[in-house]
Amino acid sequence: MNTKTTKQTVSRRAFLSGCAKSLGGATAAGLGVPALLAARDAPAASPAAASGPATAAAPVAGEYDVVVCGGGPAGFVAAVAAARGGARTALVERYGFLGGMATAGLVAPISVFNLNGRRVIGGIPWEFVEKLTAIGGAALDLPRGNVTFSPEKYKLAAQRMVLDAGVTLHLHSYVTGCRRRQDDGRALTHAVIENKNGAQSLAARYFIDCTGDADLALRAGVPMQPAPENLQPASLIFMLGNVDTDAIPPNRLRHGLPGSQDTDFRAVLQELSKTQKIPLFGGPWYNSTLAKGVVLVNITRAAANMADNRDATAAECRLREHVHVFVDLLRKHVPAFRDAVLLTTATQTGIRETRRILGAHTLTGDEYLAPTDFPDTIARGCHPIDIHSGNNTRQRADRLQKPGNVPYRCLHAPGFPNLLVAGRPFSADEVASASVRVQASAMSLGQAAGAAAALCLPDNRDVSRLNIARLRETLTQSGAIFD
Ligand SMILES: Cc1cc2nc3c(=O)[nH]c(=O)nc-3n(C[C@H](O)[C@H](O)[C@H](O)COP(=O)(O)OP(=O)(O)OC[C@H]3O[C@@H](n4cnc5c(N)ncnc54)[C@H](O)[C@@H]3O)c2cc1C
């Protein structure tokens, strides 16, 4: 397999330009995004600077040891790990619930805990699956170790886990910036958030960016990876009711066994597209919510940089139109969906790929697939290298022979002493990221980052100087698996 597919051409400018535009001029100008971008993009996109309260003036709404930004799979697990490590921990989330793509994006299943029938991922991610199962919200699909789940119970289980650990939640709060220490421009002192109270700041000694899009890291001035020429597409997932779920083959609803894609309907769509205009599609894949008659459908697909607000807005509108086209086609061509009704679309279009930080180490596809035995391995992944095309209906899904390793150095950037990044935006090329981005491994990165921040606390340690042996020992004690 050729893993040297990273194309560092472009798009770097276009991609970062999109990033800076979506952040608003205040960020670009004041918080360390390269001056080139600030100068070029600020005039076109500076409403926050013009109308929002100044970042420096945001009153302090809480003082913590660790602030985790983003309550998706990586973020809520990071918060639990930090709090269990003894840190006074806050978790900031823009929605009113936790789960990120799993709940707001209706992305299912949780992939994957097993390789070749053997469990690869343990620790807090696995504990979460057990808790979700205990409330009737999850079912493990063997041998792959995908987890089918109820999105509503996912929200509940994640919330309980976080609150039980003693984490303070700041929901409905959007991370918009940060403040840095005067004497050392790169150490963060506050995360700045916006909510109905206006701008607020949260003081902390360590920060973990789990926003999926590296929002905090970008605002802090962390350099980003060159973007691939084509980002993986965005997909708006929808939920259908009144489906004859008994008529759908089990492996198409529960992804434990191969063959989850509805190749029959795919063939119909391919045939139809020869004579009429069919929106771009992927899969299609159906996912159970564990409720009879209810199915999540992953079929829509749009090439979009979801970290650019104009692109994201266009994608949301376009895909909403496409959802209704596909619902009609499903009703017409797939007997199980004949009487289906659209219950809801996801709260937001699902995002597979946006920014990734340029960390102390960038995990490459070659290293991940070898797999390289890093001295500072703190997480593993076993999902295929899963790359969807934004321009056509294809998907590259290369199975791993062995679990891949992720070193701790991919979670921090040189010179940023108290910032960790976990989940989708960790430092990797597009190949390694295409496996690690999925939920189980994203959660593992979150656990490692949360535990690391707590371990740094006693002597105010720079995150890059953490005692790795202690971190691995802490992770192993809580069930993480490294062999
Ligand atoms: C269509 C699609 C299909 C997928 N299929 C699968 C699959 O089958 N199995 C699988 O395991 N994974 C799948 N994935 C991938 C997986 O869902 C994500 O990669 C994973 O959720 C990443 O977790 P995360 O915590 O890093 O980021 P996210 O899940 O994106 O969570 C980020 C969180 O941060 C919050 N946030 C973002 N910005 C801010 C801000 N500025 N302020 C405050 N909060 C903020 C968000 O609301 C969210 O809660 C799929 C993804 C997509 C889009």
Side-chain angles (χ1 to χ4, degrees):
M1 177 194 324
N2 175 20
T3 59
K4 290 179 180 161
T5 52
T6 312
K7 299 184 191 84
Q8 302 189 348
T9 46
V10 164
S11 301
R12 183 164 167 72
R13 252 184 72 173
F15 181 66
L16 289 177
S17 161
C19 296
K21 282 172 184 158
S22 69
L23 287 172
T27 304
L31 292 169
V33 174
L36 164 73
L37 297 175
R40 197 157 50 84
D41 291 313
S46 55
S51 59
T55 295
V60 178
E63 293 184 17
Y64 303 98
D65 293 323
V66 176
V67 165
V68 181
C69 298
F76 87 79
V77 170
V80 170
R84 287 185 184 173
R88 291 170 306 147
T89 305
L91 175 58
V92 182
E93 167 55 44
R94 68 177 153 180
Y95 294 129
F97 53 86
L98 302 176
M101 285 304 133
T103 53
L106 293 177
V107 165
I110 303 172
S111 308
V112 285
F113 285 88
N114 286 8
L115 188 66
N116 302 327
R118 187 166 172 233
R119 195 141 61 75
V120 167
I121 294 179
I124 297 174
W126 183 251
E127 184 189 330
F128 172 68
V129 171
E130 289 181 329
K131 287 196 153 71
L132 193 51
T133 306
I135 59 170
L140 182 65
D141 289 336
L142 295 169
R144 284 188 182 167
N146 275 303
V147 178
T148 294
F149 65 90
S150 143
E152 285 306 318
K153 289 196 172 158
Y154 190 123
K155 291 176 190 170
L156 182 66
Q159 170 182 309
R160 283 182 179 167
M161 212 165 167
V162 161
L163 295 177
D164 287 349
V167 173
T168 303
L169 276 176
H170 292 263
L171 297 179
H172 295 297
S173 297
Y174 208 106
V175 177
T176 56
C178 60
R179 293 221 294 268
R180 299 185 298 199
R181 219 162 41 217
Q182 294 296 319
D183 57 340
D184 170 358
R186 288 182 153 186
L188 306 190
T189 58
H190 301 77
V192 177
I193 62 177
E194 278 276 350
N195 54 36
K196 289 288 185 181
N197 298 73
Q200 300 184 316
S201 56
L202 304 178
R205 292 163 60 193
Y206 293 90
F207 297 83
I208 307 177
D209 184 339
C210 295
T211 59
D213 303 313
D215 282 4
L216 180 69
L218 188 71
R219 285 154 170 82
V222 174
M224 297 293 144
Q225 295 282 340
E229 196 164 359
N230 295 306
L231 290 168
Q232 290 209 43
S235 297
L236 180 57
I237 293 173
F238 53 93
M239 184 187 284
L240 295 177
N242 209 28
V243 177
D244 182 2
T245 33
D246 292 337
I248 302 177
N251 61 331
R252 286 190 183 165
L253 271 184
R254 304 263 306 261
H255 296 180
L257 299 167
S260 58
Q261 196 177 90
D262 184 349
T263 43
D264 302 326
F265 186 46
R266 183 180 173 83
V268 170
L269 292 174
Q270 280 167 334
E271 199 52 37
L272 285 175
S273 36
K274 290 178 187 161
T275 53
Q276 65 189 80
K277 201 162 164 44
I278 303 283
L280 189 62
F281 62 90
W285 297 274
Y286 312 133
N287 287 288
S288 165
T289 61
L290 301 176
K292 197 171 164 65
V294 180
V295 171
L296 297 169
V297 181
N298 176 354
I299 184 170
T300 67
R301 188 173 270 205
N305 173 5
M306 295 297 282
D308 176 78
N309 187 256
R310 275 166 283 189
D311 245 21
T313 303
E316 293 281 1
C317 294
R318 188 160 72 243
L319 293 181
R320 191 164 307 287
E321 294 284 351
H322 294 179
V323 164
H324 291 269
V325 173
F326 286 123
V327 171
D328 288 346
L329 288 168
L330 280 160
R331 284 166 54 99
K332 191 166 171 191
H333 296 282
V334 185
F337 291 99
R338 196 185 55 203
D339 300 318
V341 289
L342 178 60
L343 297 180
T344 187
T345 51
T347 305
Q348 69 153 94
T349 287
I351 305 172
R352 291 187 176 86
E353 185 174 28
T354 51
R355 308 177 192 112
R356 287 187 294 277
I357 64 160
L358 196 55
H361 181 81
T362 296
L363 182 65
T364 66
D366 287 341
E367 289 171 333
Y368 186 72
L369 287 163
T372 304
D373 191 12
F374 299 104
D376 58 340
T377 293
I378 42 74
R380 298 194 303 169
C382 51
H383 188 71
I385 304 294
D386 184 4
I387 302 180
H388 301 250
S389 168
N391 303 322
N392 57 50
T393 64
R394 285 197 288 275
Q395 172 196 20
R396 166 184 168 186
D398 300 327
R399 293 197 178 283
L400 306 192
Q401 301 305 314
K402 292 181 178 171
N405 298 320
V406 183
Y408 175 68
R409 287 161 290 159
C410 297
L411 306 188
H412 59 83
F416 290 84
N418 63 348
L419 176 63
L420 290 157
V421 177
R424 194 157 53 78
F426 83 110
S427 184
D429 71 10
E430 65 192 284
V431 176
S433 146
S435 168
V436 182
R437 70 187 174 88
V438 296
Q439 293 182 50
S441 28
M443 287 179 185
S444 295
L445 300 190
Q447 176 170 4
L455 286 173
C456 285
L457 275 171
D459 54 359
N460 278 326
R461 196 168 280 258
D462 183 318
V463 292
S464 67
R465 302 176 69 83
L466 176 67
N467 180 331
I468 296 296
R470 278 201 64 203
L471 175 58
R472 281 173 55 100
E473 192 184 304
T474 304
L475 296 172
T476 308
Q477 277 166 3
S478 67
I481 304 165
F482 293 122
D483 52 21

